[in-house]
Amino acid sequence: MSTFDHPTLIQNINQSLSGLRKAQPEAMQGFGQLAKAAMAEGAVSEKHKELIALAIGITQHCSGCIGFHVKALRRLGCTRQELEEMLAVCVYMGGGPALMYTAEALAAWDAFAPAQG
């Protein structure tokens, strides 16, 4: 499992990509439009699309994907039970390596918990 915290990871990714956004604005805007269109509410809800995206991120071993999609799931009101059921499918389909990234997704879930108080 990773030793970094996901809020900092996604902040660092965004900072690292800022130069590419300036150097390749059309390509980066195109990627943003693709993401917006793919994740838009439709016959499949945005929350379910984010669960799918997180499952792919886990099985592709993408820590950044885990951070971004867990954060989105928190925003969309996903419950821990919904997350855990999807994680069980990831482990079923991806075996031991997916289990390791499932642990990372759970840590990210906790890291993005709303502040108490």
Side-chain angles (χ1 to χ4, degrees), residues 56-77:
I56 293 168
I58 288 168
T59 59
Q60 293 296 307
H61 311 147
C62 178
S63 296
C65 298
I66 291 169
F68 282 104
H69 295 294
V70 166
K71 183 178 180 182
L73 284 165
R74 282 285 197 175
R75 176 181 54 79
L76 293 167

Side-chain angles (χ1 to χ4, degrees), residues 4-19 21 64 68:
F4 50 78
D5 69 278
H6 288 84
T8 300
L9 174 65
I10 64 173
Q11 180 180 19
N12 290 342
I13 289 170
N14 282 327
Q15 287 174 350
S16 295
L17 291 176
S18 66
R21 285 186 190 94
F68 282 104

Side-chain angles (χ1 to χ4, degrees), residues 27-93:
M28 294 302 289
Q29 288 171 2
F31 182 80
Q33 288 292 9
L34 176 61
K36 185 177 179 178
M39 301 308 280
E41 193 81 20
V44 176
S45 71
E46 184 181 1
K47 180 172 73 171
H48 287 101
K49 290 178 179 184
E50 285 292 350
L51 285 164
I52 293 165
L54 178 57
I56 293 168
I58 288 168
T59 59
Q60 293 296 307
H61 311 147
C62 178
S63 296
C65 298
I66 291 169
F68 282 104
H69 295 294
V70 166
K71 183 178 180 182
L73 284 165
R74 282 285 197 175
R75 176 181 54 79
L76 293 167
C78 182
T79 67
R80 187 171 181 107
Q81 182 179 359
E82 290 170 319
L83 175 75
E84 289 172 346
E85 287 184 19
M86 181 276 297
L87 293 174
V89 175
C90 288
V91 174
Y92 162 61
M93 296 301 293

